[in-house]
């Protein structure tokens, strides 16, 4: 079983604050790491992907990967009410399989 | 481009009935996936395919079957439906070399 774990939350932050979402994974052979956003009743949509150790920034979003600790995180700066959603961490392996965590529910309070 | 199209969007089945969830993509993607998502949970991989004629099991394949006769289509068959199969089913595809999964809108299945 390839496990991907996330804090289920809910996580609440005030508008304009930084939201920090965390994910750990069990398969050391994992090669690719993704953050998806899912609004209620909708399908997941890709926010960020990261393949190498370190930080990757895209606008208000920063993904951080530490393969030695088997840890990946997502920071959302200047959080907006429209960021309120469930964030899913996904991990890909060499076998073309992608495993998802249970998701973290984020609420941004105006 | 329509992307990934799933049908039906909603379905109610009685215990023991069978049905097929259809999934088709028009992006010429080699890789296709079926996931299920139970309320408040993440996505669980049911089956996946790396190309026409090739399928493999994921985390939760029991009670399901798939086929991949063409690049475009990846139907999911439920045999002898059980209440435990009540879920939202997502089909996804991706191109070779890229990691992003493109998802369909989902099919909500209820087994009573």
């Amino acid at each position: 079983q390839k496990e991907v774990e996330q804090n289920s939350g809910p996580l609440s932050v005030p508008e304009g604050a930084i939201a920090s979402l965390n994910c750990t994974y069990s398969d050391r052979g994992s090669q690719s790491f993704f953050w998806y956003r899912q609004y209620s009743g909708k399908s997941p949509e890709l926010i960020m992907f990261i393949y190498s150790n370190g930080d990757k920034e895209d606008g208000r979003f920063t993904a951080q990967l530490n393969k030695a600790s088997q840890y990946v995180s997502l920071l959302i700066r200047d959080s907006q009410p429209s960021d309120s959603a469930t964030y899913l961490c996904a991990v890909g392996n060499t076998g073309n399989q992608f495993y998802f965590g249970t998701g973290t529910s984020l609420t941004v309070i105006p | 481009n329509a992307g990934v199209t799933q049908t039906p969007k909603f379905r109610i089945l009685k215990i023991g009935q069978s049905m097929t969830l259809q999934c088709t993509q028009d992006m010429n993607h080699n890789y296709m996936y079926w996931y299920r998502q139970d309320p408040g949970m993440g996505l669980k991989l049911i089956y996946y395919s790396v190309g026409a004629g090739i399928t493999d099991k994921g985390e939760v394949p029991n009670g399901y079957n798939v086929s991949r006769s063409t690049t475009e289509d990846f139907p999911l068959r439920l045999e002898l439906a059980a209440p435990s199969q009540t879920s939202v089913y997502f089909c996804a595809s991706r191109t070779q070399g890229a990691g992003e999964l493109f998802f369909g809108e989902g099919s909500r299945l209820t087994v009573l």
Side-chain angles (χ1 to χ4, degrees):
Chain A
Q1 186 79 11
K2 312 298 184 186
E3 293 185 354
V4 179
E5 296 188 358
Q6 300 179 247
N7 290 330
S8 61
L11 175 66
S12 294
V13 300
E15 184 174 355
I18 295 175
S20 178
L21 306 166
N22 303 315
C23 173
T24 59
Y25 60 94
S26 62
D27 183 6
R28 285 194 171 275
S30 300
Q31 295 191 326
S32 54
F33 308 87
F34 307 85
W35 284 99
Y36 287 82
R37 177 176 63 200
Q38 187 177 29
Y39 293 114
S40 181
K42 300 295 185 181
S43 56
E45 55 181 342
L46 184 70
I47 298 296
M48 292 279 296
F49 64 89
I50 186 167
Y51 298 149
S52 303
N53 277 332
D55 295 358
K56 179 181 180 182
E57 186 174 320
D58 184 1
R60 296 187 295 113
F61 300 93
T62 299
Q64 300 174 317
L65 174 62
N66 184 326
K67 289 186 177 180
S69 300
Q70 295 176 244
Y71 174 90
V72 59
S73 67
L74 179 70
L75 298 177
I76 306 174
R77 291 182 299 280
D78 188 24
S79 295
Q80 300 297 309
S82 59
D83 294 327
S84 297
T86 296
Y87 289 80
L88 299 167
C89 173
V91 175
N93 62 18
T94 55
N96 298 302
Q97 300 156 357
F98 294 83
Y99 297 96
F100 285 76
T102 55
T104 299
S105 176
L106 171 67
T107 299
V108 179
I109 303 168
Chain B
N1 285 350
V4 179
T5 303
Q6 292 182 234
T7 57
K9 288 186 169 48
F10 302 93
R11 182 72 185 269
I12 298 175
L13 280 181
K14 294 183 179 178
I15 294 172
Q17 287 185 321
S18 300
M19 74 160 297
T20 299
L21 298 176
Q22 301 291 345
C23 176
T24 187
Q25 52 91 8
D26 61 0
M27 297 174 283
N28 201 31
H29 286 173
N30 289 331
Y31 301 88
M32 296 188 74
Y33 302 81
W34 274 106
Y35 288 90
R36 60 175 287 174
Q37 185 175 34
D38 298 331
M41 302 296 287
L43 283 75
K44 292 292 188 184
L45 180 63
I46 306 172
Y47 272 95
Y48 67 102
S49 170
V50 301
I54 305 170
T55 62
D56 210 342
K57 297 178 180 178
E59 302 169 275
V60 290
N62 291 343
Y64 306 96
N65 278 300
V66 293
S67 61
R68 185 94 182 271
S69 57
T70 67
T71 299
E72 295 77 19
D73 300 308
F74 191 39
L76 177 71
R77 178 81 176 165
L78 282 74
E79 303 283 1
L80 299 175
S84 60
Q85 293 177 304
T86 294
S87 191
V88 179
Y89 291 83
F90 288 102
C91 180
S93 72
R94 71 178 183 93
T95 188
Q96 186 168 358
E100 180 182 2
L101 292 172
F102 292 84
F103 285 89
E105 293 185 342
S107 297
R108 184 176 297 275
L109 176 66
T110 301
V111 181
L112 300 175

